[in-house]
Amino acid sequence: MTERQLNISIRIADLPRIPMRIPAGQEETVRTAEAKINELWRSWKAKDEFSDKTSAEVLAMVTFRFAQLYYSTVETSQKIDSVLEGLEKEFDSLLLQDISPRGSEE
């Protein structure tokens, strides 16, 4: 059975609303992403050091930061997967040692 779809709209920075159709189970994630992007955009837009930047430039910087965090997370996840795969092989090897025949001593 397919998940119910919702028609929602989000607003990022000072851009027009963006209509979206999403699975109902993703609404909280979408709303959190919208809120966090806007929170960082507002925060950086208010900084004196970025006062010479346009709204679009600040949004580009926010986009880059979120992409950077995403790819850092992907890289960390891949490293964790690799470690877990190694541990699984090691555990399998140890378990198989305990059940394998030890040669006959007759």
Side-chain angles (χ1 to χ4, degrees):
M1 186 172 181
T2 60
E3 189 173 359
R4 184 172 60 99
Q5 298 285 304
L6 295 178
N7 291 314
I8 66 168
S9 66
I10 62 170
R11 184 175 175 116
I12 302 294
D14 55 2
L15 298 172
R17 290 201 158 277
I18 303 165
M20 305 177 86
R21 185 167 176 83
I22 61 167
Q26 290 184 7
E27 184 178 15
E28 185 177 344
T29 301
V30 169
R31 297 294 182 193
T32 299
E34 174 188 25
K36 294 299 180 181
I37 290 167
N38 286 322
E39 181 182 320
L40 187 56
W41 176 78
R42 277 190 296 276
S43 171
W44 284 4
K45 190 97 171 80
K47 287 186 174 203
D48 287 339
E49 64 189 282
F50 299 142
S51 63
D52 63 329
K53 305 285 186 217
T54 67
S55 179
E57 289 172 321
V58 174
L59 186 55
M61 292 166 28
V62 168
T63 302
F64 177 80
R65 181 64 178 139
F66 274 87
Q68 185 182 36
L69 291 169
Y70 171 79
Y71 285 107
S72 291
T73 302
V74 168
E75 185 178 322
T76 300
S77 177
Q78 289 170 341
K79 287 177 183 176
I80 290 170
D81 286 348
S82 178
V83 167
L84 290 174
E85 188 177 306
L87 288 172
E88 183 180 13
K89 287 179 182 176
E90 191 172 329
F91 288 147
D92 286 349
S93 173
L94 290 171
L95 288 171
L96 290 174
Q97 280 180 354
D98 288 344
I99 61 171
S100 63
R102 300 176 195 245
S104 50
E105 297 179 29
E106 290 181 30

